[in-house]
């Protein structure tokens, strides 16, 4: 008796060439603050990033202008749709800020290491961030909140320059309203109707509710802020291997080839940007590195 | 849960490793205070004869700036010790302190403690050491604040 086999169709993940930008269309542009915006993107030809981990970044190519590394700020479950939150700091991001719905950019990625959200289930998570540093942590927050029952306390400590510079304000309010995420926001300069904390974000660490011996800390922001945040976390008793920082250097190729982002023995693009602090502790904050 | 003054003071890191007789003296200098929202705990220029340990709430440390009004330079919250003008002449507050929320604190009689520190230098040293630590933390934080870390140029 002859048997016929019907082979199942398995959709293999599309392996994108890491050096070849894939066209993505801008679906929406959201002004977050006066100098920061979020691009909502979809693959222009149906082929795009199939998955990414929280903390990873893409290279965004503005045709004819240049390419910049920008962390992915969207929910990992929403792939291939992507969001990138960017602040205008140079010519490429300035050009990016002028893009409109329907415009197309090139994307390479995702690249780099991830925040250890799935690896550290069952622990307290404390997230310390400032300024646009919240953007690379947003996917981690989505992931934590999607499986809230698998974690103990989750604390977000966020510092901004002024109340007008607070990113994702509505989302933060939504999460705060759920009562299973402790959110503390502080600003460097209050004023107006601001009734919350004033001072740098590191001052919130000493009074944040978490158990240092069972805590994983995710830290992202300006390097000076991270240095002081790590000191405060260590002072509370969080161990270096459980502190994770996202480093930033001049990334160009994103695949550890060009060497622009060399950081001691590591390349930020390939070995980072997320490092457990014990890996970089000897060189962290060294001016010569 | 109701905690006695004694147990609250003993549990606070600020008073860690103080001798028993010093703790007992400090407990004798402390009282519970509660403030409504928007209450001035002290005003710039007033006699500084107290310091505070916040159990619950949020306090804004402010400075009156002509044409700008009250500017908040920092806030202090649960677990923070604040107020050190009682330690240094001319013993007057340099800032205003206003509650942003209902606030429960322990107030310590600085005048009494100051006199005791003059008399008992061991206690004086322990108290100054602790306040020096608080001052260093605040100075670090202020320096970071001055850096304008999240500005485009950093």
């Amino acid at each position: 008796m002859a048997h016929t086999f019907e082979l199942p169709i398995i959709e293999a993940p599309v392996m994108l060439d890491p050096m070849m930008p894939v066209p993505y269309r801008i679906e929406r542009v959201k002004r977050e603050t006066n100098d920061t915006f979020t691009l909502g993107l979809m693959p222009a030809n149906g082929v795009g990033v199939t998955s990414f981990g929280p903390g990873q970044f893409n290279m965004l190519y503005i045709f004819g202008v240049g390419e910049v590394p920008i962390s992915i700020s969207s929910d990992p479950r929403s792939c291939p749709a992507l969001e990138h939150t960017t602040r205008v700091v140079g010519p490429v991001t300035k050009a990016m800020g002028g893009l409109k719905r329907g415009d197309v950019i090139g994307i390479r990625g995702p690249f780099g290491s991830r925040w250890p959200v799935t690896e550290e289930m069952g622990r307290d998570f404390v997230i310390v961030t400032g300024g646009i540093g919240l953007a690379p942590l947003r996917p981690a927050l989505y992931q934590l909140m999607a499986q809230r029952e698998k974690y103990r306390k989750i604390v977000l400590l966020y510092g901004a320059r002024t109340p007008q510079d607070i990113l994702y304000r509505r989302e933060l309010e939504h999460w705060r309203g759920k009562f299973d995420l402790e959110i503390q926001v502080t600003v460097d300069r209050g004023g107006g109707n601001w009734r919350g904390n004033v001072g740098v974000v590191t001052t919130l660490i000493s009074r944040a509710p978490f158990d240092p011996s069972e805590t994983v800390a995710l830290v992202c922001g300006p390097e000076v802020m991270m240095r002081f945040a790590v000191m405060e976390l260590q002072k509370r008793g969080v161990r270096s291997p459980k502190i994770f920082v996202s480093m930033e250097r001049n990334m160009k190729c994103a695949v550890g080839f060009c060497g622009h982002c060399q950081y001691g023995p590591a390349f930020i693009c390939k070995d980072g940007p997320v490092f457990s602090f014990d890996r970089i502790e000897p060189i962290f904050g060294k001016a010569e590195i | 849960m109701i905690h006695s003054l004694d147990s609250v003071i003993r549990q606070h890191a600020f008073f860690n490793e103080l001798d028993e007789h010093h703790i007992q003296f400090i407990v004798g200098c402390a009282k519970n205070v509660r403030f409504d929202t928007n209450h001035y705990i002290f005003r710039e220029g007033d006699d500084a004869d107290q310091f505070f340990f916040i159990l619950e709430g949020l306090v804004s440390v402010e400075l009156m700036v002509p044409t700008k009004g009250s500017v908040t330079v920092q806030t202090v919250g649960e677990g923070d010790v604040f107020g050190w003008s009682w330690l240094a002449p001319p013993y007057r507050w340099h800032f205003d302190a206003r509650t942003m929320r209902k606030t429960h604190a322990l107030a310590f009689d600085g005048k009494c403690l100051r006199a005791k520190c003059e008399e008992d230098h061991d206690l004086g040293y322990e108290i100054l050491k602790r306040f020096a630590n608080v001052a260093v933390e605040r100075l670090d934080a202020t320096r970071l604040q001055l850096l304008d870390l999240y500005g485009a140029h950093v």
Side-chain angles (χ1 to χ4, degrees):
Chain A
M1 189 177 167
H3 293 277
T4 56
F5 294 100
E6 204 167 304
L7 292 172
I9 298 166
I10 298 168
E11 282 200 28
V14 181
M15 299 302 287
L16 301 174
D17 180 345
M19 295 305 282
M20 180 65 77
V22 170
Y24 260 75
R25 178 163 283 111
I26 295 171
E27 295 283 308
R28 70 192 167 280
V29 180
K30 184 177 176 229
R31 299 280 152 203
E32 303 283 356
T33 70
N34 72 326
D35 62 354
T36 305
F37 57 91
T38 298
L39 298 180
L41 299 149
M42 280 296 282
N45 301 329
V47 177
V49 172
T50 52
S51 69
F52 71 89
Q56 289 194 296
F57 68 95
N58 283 323
M59 296 300 293
L60 271 56
Y61 180 31
I62 311 304
F63 304 124
V65 184
E67 201 182 37
V68 281
I70 307 283
S71 298
I72 306 168
S73 59
S74 45
D75 189 335
R77 294 169 302 172
S78 63
C79 262
L82 294 171
E83 283 187 358
H84 286 278
T85 300
T86 311
R87 189 172 68 170
V88 176
V89 286
V92 181
T93 49
K94 190 177 173 191
M96 211 183 281
L99 296 173
K100 302 179 302 295
R101 185 167 187 262
D103 287 344
V104 174
I105 64 171
I107 282 186
R108 293 193 292 126
F111 300 114
S113 54
R114 307 149 182 242
W115 300 110
V117 176
T118 46
E119 294 83 347
E120 299 285 357
M121 282 179 180
R123 293 186 186 276
D124 287 355
F125 266 73
V126 59
I127 294 170
V128 186
T129 178
I132 197 159
L134 180 57
L137 282 161
R138 192 177 176 220
L141 277 162
Y142 283 127
Q143 214 168 45
L144 288 164
M145 295 307 284
Q147 300 189 77
R148 182 63 191 88
E149 70 288 353
K150 296 195 171 154
Y151 302 92
R152 298 182 354 158
K153 281 183 183 146
I154 303 176
V155 180
L156 170 64
L157 308 177
Y158 174 48
R161 197 182 193 195
T162 69
Q164 292 72 42
D165 292 310
I166 295 170
L167 281 182
Y168 314 130
R169 187 185 278 263
R170 291 178 72 172
E171 213 159 21
L172 292 178
E173 280 164 11
H174 170 71
W175 277 329
R176 182 179 268 157
K178 294 175 86 167
F179 299 109
D180 53 4
L181 170 63
E182 167 92 18
I183 300 181
Q184 294 189 28
V185 178
T186 185
V187 295
D188 283 355
R189 284 165 196 76
N193 298 322
W194 179 250
R195 306 287 298 165
N197 297 298
V198 176
V200 285
V201 68
T202 51
T203 59
L204 301 177
I205 294 172
S206 65
R207 55 181 191 249
F210 60 86
D211 173 1
S213 64
E214 286 295 330
T215 290
V216 174
L218 314 181
V219 186
C220 186
E223 208 166 305
V224 179
M225 182 222 92
M226 293 203 291
R227 289 216 298 270
F228 281 83
V230 167
M231 269 194 274
E232 284 298 321
L233 288 162
Q234 289 176 326
K235 216 192 281 180
R236 277 283 306 259
V238 184
R239 294 179 306 113
S240 296
K242 295 297 175 194
I243 299 174
F244 294 82
V245 296
S246 181
M247 298 299 295
E248 199 176 316
R249 285 294 183 274
N250 184 20
M251 292 190 272
K252 291 286 180 192
C253 73
V255 289
F257 182 70
C258 73
H260 277 90
C261 64
Q262 187 169 0
Y263 183 61
F267 291 115
I268 299 284
C269 69
K270 189 166 66 74
D271 306 308
V274 176
F275 292 92
S276 67
F277 187 65
D278 59 325
R279 278 190 66 194
I280 57 166
E281 197 160 6
I283 58 171
F284 189 67
K286 289 260 192 309
E288 297 81 4
I289 305 286
Chain B
M1 194 184 291
I2 296 169
H3 296 283
S4 68
L5 273 179
D6 187 274
S7 70
V8 171
I9 289 171
R10 281 173 200 280
Q11 280 167 25
H12 195 272
F14 188 79
F15 300 107
N16 267 354
E17 295 174 18
L18 271 184
D19 286 348
E20 181 58 30
H21 66 287
H22 288 153
I23 289 272
Q24 281 175 13
F25 182 82
I26 288 166
V27 170
C29 292
K31 64 177 178 188
N32 268 299
V33 285
R34 289 174 194 276
F35 305 106
D36 278 337
T37 306
N38 224 15
H39 174 86
Y40 280 95
I41 299 175
F42 52 77
R43 304 294 296 250
E44 184 183 349
D46 289 352
D47 286 342
D49 48 14
Q50 283 183 307
F51 69 93
F52 301 88
F53 161 33
I54 302 176
L55 298 171
E56 198 180 357
L58 189 70
V59 176
S60 158
V61 180
E62 302 174 350
L63 197 59
M64 181 59 75
V65 179
T67 74
K68 280 190 177 175
S70 272
V71 173
T72 301
V73 290
Q74 70 171 167
T75 50
V76 281
E78 193 177 317
D80 287 335
V81 172
F82 84 102
W84 56 56
S85 297
W86 66 278
L87 260 175
Y91 310 119
R92 291 188 186 283
W93 296 116
H94 300 178
F95 296 91
D96 297 333
R98 185 163 58 103
T99 54
M100 308 292 279
R101 301 175 197 149
K102 281 189 171 180
T103 297
H104 177 200
L106 296 184
F108 295 85
D109 182 341
K111 218 167 171 179
C112 161
L113 198 55
R114 206 161 60 210
K116 181 71 176 172
C117 288
E118 286 292 346
E119 205 177 280
D120 179 346
H121 287 186
D122 285 347
L123 175 63
Y125 175 66
E126 290 298 332
I127 293 290
L128 280 176
K129 217 165 55 170
R130 286 161 171 75
F131 270 95
N133 201 29
V134 173
V136 166
E137 283 174 7
R138 297 281 158 77
L139 183 59
D140 279 350
T142 306
R143 283 170 169 164
L144 286 182
Q145 222 169 328
L146 286 172
L147 272 179
D148 193 15
L149 283 173
Y150 315 121
H153 61 282
V154 180

